[in-house]
């Protein structure tokens, strides 16, 4: 039996064996070394490792049915224009807020400007929706996936019957993008820091015709709903790069019964991951133990202990960690490597019980592997090297990271 077939067999035993209780410790051990790109292994492993599904297989049917029904309610309450929800009542938001629904009263007239008006909220959403629209239209440009139509469009959205606003991109009113839209919550960021968060192309994807929607439109809806349910945080540029790989995995699931619910499953996996890394996106928490400054300091300290020469050179060149590792850590390396490599990295990151310890080791290894070039380069060349990491076999980087104590 080949090594690959043996690894597939190990995953089959853990994920599809006769036992009801999944051995999460064994799953973490297996996934840490990479999930085989066959069957539904990666999608299912991520759902378990991120806590969307519990370890008891017998609970999955109920959990999935409840979560998917809840997500459908989110769409009806938060995405459809006011007065067009099919259900009464309300939805509890992620921050504990109640989202009202139901018929259109006097305060819900489209011309109402009252703060409680659902229409007022509907129009005010344009500010952050503009940024989401801009970001998702250029997601993962190295592959065509996000430009392609999904086989499972949201029926209550794509069949608008001439009604404007069901499809989020139709609501976006072109305007000068204020800096508030791209700043992390808190004290804000300098323009230089904003530029470090993203390096994607300026290409924009087109929307689909009535009855269809592209994958990027689905991702737009996921981010919009997340922002609506988490008003204390809202949408921050870069979240699109976190949700993208998760959605790709769910929407590529070979099991069509799971793929049909990729949007809802992705939303809850993304929400679970964001609960762990949201401090990266909130500037007032930068110095907290889970904040990005703290993470960058940990990387810097590890580099200092592993290779003092590189550490001292970068310090003498005043090449501060935020020039490169801010984006590396905040976006979990999603912009530094091709998507298949990002998926491989995330297998290990999600399987790591200490979660981000191994991410820091990978970042440190990326620097150590380029030792010779870094020591020879001047400031400008090193900035270019670290902000545009050269092509490399990702297994070399992961193996190097695994060797770091």
């Amino acid at each position: 039996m080949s090594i690959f077939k043996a690894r597939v067999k190990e995953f089959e035993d853990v994920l599809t064996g006769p036992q009801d209780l999944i051995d999460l410790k064994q799953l973490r051990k297996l996934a840490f070394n990479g999930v085989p790109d066959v069957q539904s292994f990666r999608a299912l492993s991520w759902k378990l490792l991120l806590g969307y599904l519990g370890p008891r297989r017998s609970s999955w049917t109920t959990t999935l049915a409840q979560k998917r029904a809840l997500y459908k309610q989110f769409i009806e309450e938060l995405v459809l224009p006011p007065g067009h929800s099919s259900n009464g009542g309300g939805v509890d938001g992620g921050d504990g807020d109640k989202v009202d629904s139901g018929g259109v009263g006097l305060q819900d007239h489209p011309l109402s400007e009252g703060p409680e008006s659902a229409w007022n909220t509907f129009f005010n959403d344009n500010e952050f929706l503009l940024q989401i629209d801009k970001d998702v239209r250029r997601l993962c440009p190295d592959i065509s996936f996000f430009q392609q139509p999904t086989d499972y469009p949201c029926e209550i959205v794509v069949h608008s019957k001439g009604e404007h606003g069901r499809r989020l991109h139709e609501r976006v009113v072109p305007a000068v993008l204020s800096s508030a839209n791209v700043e992390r919550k808190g004290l804000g960021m300098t323009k230089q820091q904003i530029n470090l968060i993203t390096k994607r192309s300026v290409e924009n994807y087109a929307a689909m015709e009535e009855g269809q929607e592209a994958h990027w439109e689905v991702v737009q809806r996921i981010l919009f709903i997340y922002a609506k349910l988490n008003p204390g945080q809202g949408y921050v540029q870069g979240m699109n790069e976190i949700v993208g790989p998760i959605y790709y995995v769910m929407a590529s699931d070979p099991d069509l019964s799971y793929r049909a619910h990729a949007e809802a499953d992705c939303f809850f996996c993304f929400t679970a991951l964001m609960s762990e890394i949201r401090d990266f996106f909130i500037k007032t928490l930068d110095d907290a133990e889970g904040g990005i400054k703290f993470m960058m300091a940990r990387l810097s300290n590890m580099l200092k202990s592993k290779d003092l020469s590189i550490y001292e050179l970068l310090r003498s060149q005043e090449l501060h960690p935020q020039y490169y590792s801010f984006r590396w850590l905040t976006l979990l390396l999603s912009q530094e490597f091709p998507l298949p490599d990002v998926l491989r990295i995330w297998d290990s990151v999600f399987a790591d019980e200490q979660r981000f310890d191994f991410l820091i080791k990978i970042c440190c290894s990326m620097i150590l592997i380029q030792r010779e070039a870094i020591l020879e380069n001047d400031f400008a060349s090193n900035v270019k090297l670290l902000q545009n990491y050269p092509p490399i076999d990702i297994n070399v980087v992961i193996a190097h990271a695994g060797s770091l104590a």
Side-chain angles (χ1 to χ4, degrees):
M1 182 182 294
S2 68
I3 294 176
F4 178 77
K5 286 184 177 179
R7 291 188 60 244
V8 169
K9 177 67 164 58
E10 288 180 313
F11 273 89
E12 285 179 338
D13 291 343
V14 171
L15 295 174
T16 63
Q19 72 285 356
D20 182 50
L21 188 64
I22 300 291
D23 186 342
L24 288 180
K25 185 175 181 181
Q26 177 65 6
L27 177 61
R28 286 193 185 97
K29 181 180 176 182
L30 292 174
F32 188 81
N33 294 312
V35 180
D37 197 15
V38 296
Q39 300 183 41
S40 300
F41 289 159
R42 177 170 281 124
L44 182 54
S45 294
W46 284 16
K47 287 170 187 170
L48 287 160
L49 294 172
L50 290 172
Y52 174 43
L53 290 179
R56 289 201 175 278
R57 188 183 285 104
S58 57
S59 70
W60 293 356
T61 300
T62 301
T63 297
L64 291 172
Q66 290 176 342
K67 293 291 189 179
R68 290 164 178 173
L70 177 60
Y71 187 76
K72 183 174 184 289
Q73 192 178 357
F74 288 160
I75 293 176
E76 293 173 342
E77 300 285 350
L78 303 175
V79 175
L80 299 186
H84 293 271
S85 171
S86 60
N87 295 315
V91 174
D92 286 318
D95 287 353
D97 296 332
K98 192 75 170 179
V99 181
D100 294 325
S101 65
V104 180
L106 289 176
Q107 68 176 21
D108 287 330
H109 188 278
L111 297 181
S112 171
E113 295 182 358
E116 299 300 318
S117 166
W119 280 102
N120 188 55
T121 301
F122 180 80
F123 293 126
N124 286 340
D125 288 340
N126 187 70
E127 184 173 359
F128 69 84
L129 182 54
L130 176 62
Q131 183 64 52
I132 294 176
D133 188 77
K134 179 181 177 182
D135 291 345
V136 296
R137 283 180 185 263
R138 54 190 183 190
L139 190 60
C140 297
D142 48 326
I143 61 171
S144 63
F145 175 80
F146 288 94
Q147 304 172 53
Q148 303 300 320
T150 172
D151 292 330
Y152 304 96
C154 181
E155 297 297 331
I156 58 175
V157 170
V158 298
H159 296 294
S160 61
K161 300 173 183 175
E163 180 186 20
H164 185 79
R166 289 196 174 208
R167 304 180 72 154
L168 292 174
H169 68 83
E170 294 176 345
R171 296 190 206 170
V172 176
V173 178
V176 177
L177 200 59
S178 70
S179 60
N181 287 338
V182 292
E183 290 175 353
R184 292 181 301 151
K185 291 288 183 179
L187 301 179
M189 297 163 59
T190 65
K191 289 296 182 185
Q192 185 180 35
Q193 286 175 309
I194 292 170
N195 291 336
L196 291 177
I197 196 72
T198 181
K199 64 172 189 177
R200 292 300 187 198
S201 74
V202 295
E203 178 184 2
N204 280 328
Y205 302 155
M208 293 283 160
E209 298 295 326
E210 174 83 3
Q212 287 188 310
E213 61 182 347
H215 289 295
W216 69 261
E217 296 179 73
V218 181
V219 174
Q220 180 179 45
R221 190 161 52 244
I222 292 171
L223 290 170
F224 177 80
I225 291 173
Y226 178 83
K228 292 285 287 182
L229 292 176
N230 295 274
Q233 181 184 31
Y235 174 75
V236 182
Q237 188 178 26
M239 289 180 181
N240 57 308
E241 304 293 350
I242 299 295
V243 74
I246 299 175
Y247 177 76
Y248 175 83
V249 168
M250 302 301 159
S252 302
D253 195 323
D255 186 333
L256 299 186
S257 66
Y258 275 99
R259 190 188 296 189
H261 299 282
E263 180 178 353
D265 293 349
C266 172
F267 172 82
F268 289 106
C269 286
F270 170 67
T271 299
L273 179 57
M274 283 303 302
S275 71
E276 297 185 45
I277 67 172
R278 62 179 293 159
D279 290 1
F280 293 3
F281 292 89
I282 301 177
K283 185 162 177 59
T284 50
L285 296 178
D286 275 359
D287 295 315
E289 192 168 327
I292 195 63
K293 280 187 181 177
F294 182 81
M295 293 286 285
M296 289 192 293
R298 285 183 61 191
L299 172 58
S300 187
N301 290 334
M302 179 178 285
L303 179 62
K304 183 178 181 180
S305 69
K306 299 300 178 186
D307 197 317
L308 188 60
S309 298
I310 296 179
Y311 174 83
E312 293 290 358
L313 177 73
L314 296 180
R315 190 176 180 187
S316 68
Q317 292 181 347
E318 297 186 3
L319 205 167
H320 305 298
Q322 59 262 37
Y323 290 164
Y324 56 92
S325 65
F326 177 85
R327 187 179 69 214
W328 290 5
L329 294 165
T330 301
L331 304 184
L332 309 183
L333 295 171
S334 60
Q335 287 200 327
E336 314 314 313
F337 300 101
L339 183 59
D341 291 353
V342 172
L343 304 185
R344 172 62 192 90
I345 291 170
W346 286 16
D347 288 341
S348 295
V349 171
F350 294 165
D352 180 11
E353 274 198 276
Q354 303 304 315
R355 189 62 89 215
F356 303 114
D357 281 6
F358 194 66
L359 174 65
I360 290 173
K361 288 183 178 180
I362 294 176
C363 293
C364 188
S365 291
M366 289 167 62
I367 300 171
L368 297 176
I369 287 171
Q370 301 297 332
R371 184 179 198 276
E372 290 185 16
I374 290 173
L375 293 178
E376 291 178 3
N377 284 346
D378 58 11
F379 170 83
S381 298
N382 276 331
V383 168
K384 183 178 180 181
L385 172 70
L386 296 174
Q387 288 189 0
N388 298 277
Y389 200 79
I392 190 173
D393 181 348
I394 197 61
N395 293 303
V396 171
V397 180
I398 291 174
H400 190 287
S403 70
L404 298 179

